[in-house]
Amino acid sequence: MRAMTVEPGRPGSFEVREVPDPTPGDGDLLVRGLAAGICGTDAEIVAGEYGEPPPGSDLLVLGHESLGTVLQAPDGSQVRPGDLVAGVVRRPDPEPCAACAHGEFDMCRNGRYTEHGIKELDGFGAERWCVPAGDVVVLDPALEPVGMLVEPASVVAKAWEQIERIGERSWFDPASVLVTGAGPIGLLAALLGVQRGLDVHVLDVVDRGAKPDAVAALGATYHHDGLERAAEKVRPDIVIEATGVSDLAFGAMASTAAFGIVCLTGVYAAGRRISVEAGSGYREMVLENDVLFGSVNANHRHYRAAADALAAADPTWLGRLITRRVPLDDAVRALRREDGDIKVVVDLI
Amino acid sequence: MRAMTVEPGRPGSFEVREVPDPTPGDGDLLVRGLAAGICGTDAEIVAGEYGEPPPGSDLLVLGHESLGTVLQAPDGSQVRPGDLVAGVVRRPDPEPCAACAHGEFDMCRNGRYTEHGIKELDGFGAERWCVPAGDVVVLDPALEPVGMLVEPASVVAKAWEQIERIGERSWFDPASVLVTGAGPIGLLAALLGVQRGLDVHVLDVVDRGAKPDAVAALGATYHHDGLERAAEKVRPDIVIEATGVSDLAFGAMASTAAFGIVCLTGVYAAGRRISVEAGSGYREMVLENDVLFGSVNANHRHYRAAADALAAADPTWLGRLITRRVPLDDAVRALRREDGDIKVVVDLI
């Protein structure tokens, strides 16, 4: 079968190549890959900055934003052949740490988890893939054109769950959210904010493309005039930072209303120093009981919430997020950013 | 009666002077003041940097860390004459905001709360004071020598409650806490950590004085070798930052284990810029699901928890925290820091 592959640590090693078909183990599903979404983590792996191959191999099958159809399921499985599914990216560490042992492997304490397409497990960017039957979420068949958005939506569903649980440490009834960044994570965060009945604002920091229309179609407000001005207008109860820009992460702290919650979801670049007047920021955090927290990955609960959120959304709106589709043989093109890209998808069939 | 007074905004205006005795309104207690603890907020008010007098007055009676004996209580009150009490500092804003309306006035959203001895309400640094009967916590009579520690302990009880509620957003079973700062807040935070069965570490950043012994007597570990070295040894699940030093607040973010929680309790000075490599810190916050949050003030629940925590503590140990007692007429001496000070108390009787 064909698969998107890379030798982690070796830039320029990305290649669509023939690899042996996977063999399902006991309790595994065999899935026909339909599509894989591409994100910044894939780009980092292809650049040689991240990723680990399975033990004993040099090659890693890339792809963690998945969509497929079940070809074969173990006896007694709740998942059936023909089901539309997305794979869960992370598996608990084998030890496991206590968080993993409690199913909260997105909060793994020892870092020895594995991740499909990222860390020691082959990914979903292939014509066939296998996972344990419990490690997929079954999707509404109507989601076939957009179901590869479930993985990024699961990251957002977790972020929202964490925001709500943190907010509920005291009286909490938020009215507004400012999402910084209008990429797939930012737009999906805005969608889930609208589904919660909040007044949603999206701050775009790069090219506009289809984004203003996508934001407006949600009933949310599009901002393009910088964090300070947007924050002044909105005074949000919640900020979801989805750009990965450190200055915005720092600035977000000062932009909230009292009892504000800032959720960082980006992968911030190390190395660049910024000069900040931190004292005022920290003082305000204390005097306003503000929270800044990071959120990564998602567990089964969040995949289920994500699948439900996408099923409840306007399919046309979800389709707008997918701005390019590339056939598997041309997958290298999906990894090069182009103007106007929101989500780029590799078709596997 | 005599009272510690200040004209907010006018440095050097602190004076112990005769003021009219307060008259209890309907539902108020009349309390004989026994002692008032002095803290950094008092020093800021005396320096003219903070504080507001009651409407229509130039003078503010100082003192928010209180201890007194009830002289007179309204009919039907659960509080009785003779009860040992500490006053609750903050009162809900009159509007009130929804958090205040729900009793969570420590999380006030609109900033229009009032505070005894700080903001628009006379304080407890007087021979007599009045508050609504519901706005005190009744203390174990054995706490008479140290009961003015209830207010700082309430701040710490709230911080711990918030840490636990934030931790419980997912699986949470912390083992260790690093407290930065060995002043009253730091040492009380350590006490409540020990009461929770945690492995407690205290990082001291200034003079040692009685602090190493106070930490050791708790069964906790004293550190004096900087945040990085202490954090490397401990890899704490929780950090409680109680120095008010921005660099430590920033550094604390990187010092935790995965799923770490940093609680800021200090009043950080505005104005000084620091150059930081923020990207790594934010990236680690995301990849480890870390939380940084600020906590200030306390509501009735936290005062009750604080009174219970002090009643369960070794009274001799609590007595060590009070390193100087100054009579009311010499109160100005209590406001000048001296070597070895932990908590300085003004005796009102």
Side-chain angles (χ1 to χ4, degrees):
Chain A
M1 68 166 186
R2 289 171 304 154
M4 305 193 290
T5 64
V6 64
E7 288 178 47
R10 199 162 80 76
S13 63
F14 176 83
E15 195 178 323
V16 175
R17 71 176 86 198
E18 280 291 328
V19 297
D21 272 32
T23 311
D26 271 2
D28 278 359
L29 302 172
L30 175 66
V31 179
R32 180 176 65 185
L34 295 176
I38 299 296
C39 84
T41 299
D42 296 310
E44 277 196 309
I45 296 171
V46 168
E49 295 162 7
Y50 206 70
E52 292 174 51
S57 172
D58 295 326
L59 278 189
L60 173 73
V61 174
L62 202 66
H64 57 278
E65 300 184 358
S66 67
L67 183 69
T69 309
V70 176
L71 292 175
Q72 191 182 311
D75 287 344
S77 165
Q78 291 193 305
V79 184
R80 308 256 169 82
D83 280 352
L84 187 71
V85 295
V88 172
V89 174
R90 186 178 287 190
R91 305 208 51 201
D93 60 281
E95 191 166 324
C97 78
C100 285
H102 286 78
E104 308 282 333
F105 51 76
D106 55 312
M107 302 296 198
C108 178
R109 299 300 201 269
N110 63 22
R112 290 201 283 276
Y113 57 80
T114 54
E115 289 179 335
H116 287 283
I118 302 174
K119 187 168 179 283
E120 300 175 49
L121 290 176
D122 277 331
F124 305 123
E127 290 178 301
R128 300 280 183 279
W129 43 270
C130 292
V131 290
D135 283 347
V136 294
V137 61
V138 177
L139 309 182
D140 185 325
L143 286 177
E144 185 168 329
V146 296
M148 79 299 292
L149 295 175
V150 164
E151 194 280 337
S154 74
V155 168
V156 166
K158 171 181 168 179
W160 272 110
E161 178 201 77
Q162 297 289 299
I163 288 166
E164 286 162 346
R165 292 185 176 187
I166 288 173
E168 283 157 10
R169 74 194 189 281
S170 181
W171 183 83
F172 189 53
D173 185 20
S176 58
V177 57
L178 175 64
V179 178
T180 55
I185 294 288
L187 291 170
L188 289 168
L191 168 68
L192 269 67
V194 168
Q195 288 181 337
R196 281 159 169 76
L198 297 174
D199 177 26
V200 176
H201 297 260
V202 178
L203 174 69
D204 197 1
V205 291
V206 282
D207 56 304
R208 294 163 177 261
K211 293 167 184 175
D213 285 349
V215 170
L218 275 181
T221 307
Y222 180 85
H223 298 257
H224 200 281
D225 49 359
L227 177 61
E228 264 183 53
R229 293 198 57 185
E232 209 171 277
K233 285 180 205 157
V234 182
R235 290 299 286 168
D237 296 307
I238 298 163
V239 176
I240 299 180
E241 205 305 289
T243 64
V245 176
S246 296
D247 305 64
L248 283 174
F250 185 83
M253 276 193 350
S255 74
T256 63
F259 200 74
I261 299 179
V262 177
C263 174
L264 304 180
T265 67
V267 177
Y268 300 87
R272 199 169 69 82
R273 296 189 78 81
I274 59 176
S275 169
V276 293
E277 203 276 89
S280 300
Y282 292 137
R283 189 183 180 110
E284 185 177 317
M285 282 190 81
V286 171
L287 295 178
E288 293 195 344
N289 296 286
D290 289 337
V291 178
L292 174 74
F293 78 102
S295 181
V296 72
N297 198 252
N299 66 35
H300 289 121
R301 187 169 69 244
H302 310 125
Y303 276 85
R304 185 69 260 153
D308 293 346
L310 294 191
D314 173 3
T316 310
W317 186 85
L318 293 173
R320 288 174 182 230
L321 303 193
I322 300 168
T323 46
R324 278 199 293 145
R325 303 189 77 117
V326 175
L328 178 55
D329 284 335
D330 286 340
V332 71
R333 286 203 296 116
L335 288 156
R336 289 189 213 114
R337 269 205 81 74
E338 293 184 11
D339 278 358
D341 278 348
I342 299 178
K343 176 58 70 187
V344 180
V345 165
V346 175
D347 281 316
L348 301 168
I349 196 165
Chain B
M1 67 165 186
R2 290 171 304 153
M4 306 193 291
T5 63
V6 66
E7 289 179 46
R10 199 162 78 77
S13 63
F14 177 83
E15 196 179 322
V16 175
R17 72 176 85 198
E18 281 291 329
V19 298
D21 273 31
T23 310
D26 272 1
D28 277 359
L29 302 172
L30 176 65
V31 179
R32 178 175 65 184
L34 295 176
I38 300 297
C39 84
T41 299
D42 296 311
E44 275 196 311
I45 296 171
V46 167
E49 295 162 8
Y50 207 69
E52 290 175 52
S57 172
D58 294 326
L59 279 188
L60 172 74
V61 173
L62 202 64
H64 57 278
E65 301 184 359
S66 68
L67 183 69
T69 308
V70 176
L71 292 174
Q72 192 182 309
D75 288 343
S77 165
Q78 291 192 305
V79 185
R80 307 256 169 80
D83 280 353
L84 187 71
V85 295
V88 172
V89 173
R90 186 178 288 189
R91 305 206 52 202
D93 61 281
E95 190 165 327
C97 78
C100 285
H102 286 78
E104 309 281 334
F105 50 77
D106 56 312
M107 302 297 198
C108 178
R109 298 298 202 271
N110 63 22
R112 288 199 286 274
Y113 56 81
T114 55
E115 289 179 335
H116 287 284
I118 302 174
K119 186 167 180 284
E120 299 175 50
L121 290 176
D122 278 332
F124 305 124
E127 292 178 301
R128 300 280 183 280
W129 44 269
C130 293
V131 290
D135 283 348
V136 293
V137 62
V138 177
L139 308 183
D140 184 326
L143 286 176
E144 184 167 330
V146 295
M148 80 298 293
L149 294 175
V150 163
E151 194 279 337
S154 75
V155 168
V156 166
K158 171 180 167 178
W160 273 110
E161 178 201 80
Q162 297 290 298
I163 288 166
E164 287 163 345
R165 291 185 175 186
I166 288 173
E168 283 156 10
R169 74 193 188 280
S170 180
W171 182 82
F172 189 53
D173 185 20
S176 59
V177 57
L178 175 64
V179 178
T180 56
I185 294 288
L187 290 170
L188 289 168
L191 169 68
L192 270 67
V194 168
Q195 289 181 338
R196 282 159 168 75
L198 296 175
D199 177 27
V200 177
H201 297 259
V202 178
L203 174 71
D204 197 1
V205 291
V206 283
D207 56 305
R208 293 162 176 261
K211 293 169 185 172
D213 286 349
V215 171
L218 275 181
T221 307
Y222 181 85
H223 298 257
H224 200 281
D225 50 359
L227 176 62
E228 264 183 51
R229 293 198 56 184
E232 210 169 277
K233 286 180 203 157
V234 182
R235 289 300 284 168
D237 296 308
I238 299 163
V239 175
I240 299 180
E241 204 306 289
T243 64
V245 177
S246 296
D247 305 64
L248 283 174
F250 185 82
M253 273 192 353
S255 74
T256 63
F259 199 74
I261 299 179
V262 177
C263 173
L264 304 179
T265 66
V267 177
Y268 300 86
R272 198 168 69 82
R273 294 189 78 81
I274 58 176
S275 167
V276 293
E277 202 277 88
S280 299
Y282 292 137
R283 187 183 180 109
E284 186 177 315
M285 283 189 80
V286 171
L287 295 179
E288 293 195 344
N289 295 286
D290 289 337
V291 178
L292 174 74
F293 78 101
S295 180
V296 73
N297 197 254
N299 66 35
H300 290 119
R301 186 169 70 242
H302 309 124
Y303 276 85
R304 186 69 260 156
D308 293 345
L310 295 189
D314 173 5
T316 310
W317 186 85
L318 293 173
R320 287 173 183 233
L321 303 193
I322 301 168
T323 46
R324 279 198 294 144
R325 302 190 76 116
V326 174
L328 178 55
D329 283 336
D330 286 340
V332 71
R333 287 204 295 115
L335 288 156
R336 289 190 211 113
R337 268 205 81 72
E338 293 184 10
D339 278 358
D341 278 350
I342 299 179
K343 176 57 70 186
V344 179
V345 165
V346 175
D347 282 316
L348 300 168
I349 196 166

